[in-house]
Amino acid sequence: MKFAFFGDIHGNIDALKAVYAKATGEGVSKIYHLGDLGGYAPFVNEVVEFLIEHGIEGVQGNYDETVANDREHCGCKYQDPVQEEMANLSFEWTKRHVSHKTKEYLRNLPASISFQTAGKKVLLFHATPHKNNIYWYQDRPEKFFSEMAAKTDADILIYGHTHKPYRKDIGGKVFVNAGSVGKPKEGDPKACLTIVDITQNNVSVQFDRVLYDVEEAARAIKESGLHPYFAEKLRKGG
Ligand SMILES: [Fe+2]
C-alpha cells in the first residue's frame, strides 16, 4: 500500500496544491499531513479549507497548538536572535489572521495517528512521539532513535518539524522525516512530498521535490504584510 505524507505546509497553499496533484498521480491509497499548517506564509485558512475539502487527516504541530491556544510562542530553540524575532513576528501575524473555523480545526487535531498495514504498525506525529517541539535531525545518535522508538510499539515512525527529510533504519524500525511542503530548509525551494510504499517484506520511501511557482508565493508573502525575510527564505529554500 502506498501512502503520501505532507509535512510542514506553513501557509503555502500553492506548494500544497502542487504536492497534492503529484500525490494523486502516484496512485496512493491515503494522504496524511504532519502538522504545522500556518506561519511564515499567509494562507493558513486556505490550507485548512483545502485539507478539509480533500479529506486529508493529520496531526497537530507545535505551530498549530500555539496558534490555536493563543500562546506567546512554541517553546522552540532558535539558532540566533534574528530567527527568534522573525518567529515571533510570524506567530503574531498568524494569530491575527486565523479564522475561528481554522482555530477550531487546529485545536482539535490529534497529537498522533496510528494505523496498521501489511502487518506493520505506522505512527504519525509532528516532531517526536511525546513532544511536538523537539528537533529530531538525522544526525542524532542512534540511542536517541532507539529511545523514541521505545515510547511506541510502532514499526514505522513518520514525522516532520525539522523541514529536512531523511529515512533511517535502526533496530528493525523505520524512521521517516517527511520534510516540508511549504518551507524547505535544504537550499532547494521545491516542495517536499514523501511517498511510502509498505508491503509485508519491504518499506520503500521516496522523497519527491515538486516544482511550483515559488516567485508567486514569495510575492504573496510580501503583499500580506508578513516580513519580507520570509519571502527571501522561501526563494533560497531556507
Ligand atoms: Fe514547521
Side-chain angles (χ1 to χ4, degrees):
M1 286 268 251
K2 253 184 176 183
F3 301 88
F5 299 97
F6 299 163
D8 296 78
I9 300 164
H10 283 299
N12 190 335
I13 189 71
D14 293 338
L16 173 59
K17 286 179 179 169
V19 289
Y20 180 76
K22 173 86 174 152
T24 50
E26 294 276 330
V28 297
S29 50
K30 187 138 179 147
I31 300 172
Y32 292 95
H33 74 76
L34 297 167
D36 273 14
L37 305 179
Y40 315 120
F43 300 109
V44 60
N45 296 320
E46 290 80 355
V47 164
V48 167
E49 281 296 341
F50 189 93
L51 296 172
I52 293 170
E53 189 186 326
H54 294 87
I56 300 168
E57 288 174 48
V59 297
Q60 187 182 58
N62 56 304
Y63 219 101
D64 309 318
E65 190 188 359
T66 303
V67 170
N69 297 295
D70 267 325
R71 297 225 181 90
E72 194 85 19
H73 53 70
C74 65
C76 295
K77 280 210 177 93
Y78 295 106
Q79 280 158 358
D80 56 65
V82 175
Q83 201 191 47
E84 186 167 355
E85 189 197 338
M86 290 298 141
N88 289 337
L89 288 176
S90 169
F91 271 125
E92 280 166 25
W93 189 99
T94 307
K95 283 189 279 193
R96 270 203 314 277
H97 289 83
V98 279
S99 68
H100 181 71
K101 184 180 175 185
T102 297
K103 254 178 137 174
E104 279 301 299
Y105 177 88
L106 298 178
R107 189 177 297 125
N108 290 318
L109 286 169
S112 64
I113 291 177
S114 63
F115 63 91
Q116 204 146 357
T117 184
K120 295 182 175 71
K121 281 188 183 168
V122 182
L123 183 68
L124 315 179
F125 48 85
H126 181 65
T128 68
H130 65 308
K131 280 194 100 178
N132 67 13
N133 63 356
I134 292 172
Y135 293 97
W136 187 350
Y137 291 108
Q138 185 169 13
D139 60 2
R140 287 263 193 187
E142 285 202 5
K143 193 168 162 275
F144 183 88
F145 282 79
S146 305
E147 281 168 6
M148 292 299 126
K151 293 180 189 297
T152 85
D153 61 351
D155 304 297
I156 304 166
L157 293 83
I158 304 178
Y159 46 93
H161 187 54
T162 64
H163 302 203
K164 293 185 175 184
Y166 62 81
R167 179 227 175 112
K168 259 197 159 177
D169 292 62
I170 294 170
K173 310 270 181 181
V174 180
F175 301 88
V176 180
N177 187 311
S180 172
V181 169
K183 196 183 188 301
K185 291 184 182 171
E186 287 192 307
D188 180 353
K190 290 200 276 303
C192 186
L193 167 67
T194 301
I195 307 276
V196 181
D197 194 357
I198 304 167
T199 63
Q200 294 281 354
N201 306 317
N202 192 43
V203 179
S204 87
V205 179
Q206 175 189 323
F207 301 109
D208 287 329
R209 304 311 291 246
V210 183
L211 192 62
Y212 71 100
D213 194 341
V214 175
E215 280 309 311
E216 181 55 41
R219 195 161 39 239
I221 290 172
K222 283 186 175 167
E223 282 172 6
S224 71
L226 274 160
H227 199 286
Y229 170 91
F230 300 115
E232 283 318 304
K233 283 281 183 192
L234 186 68
R235 281 201 183 100
K236 289 183 191 146

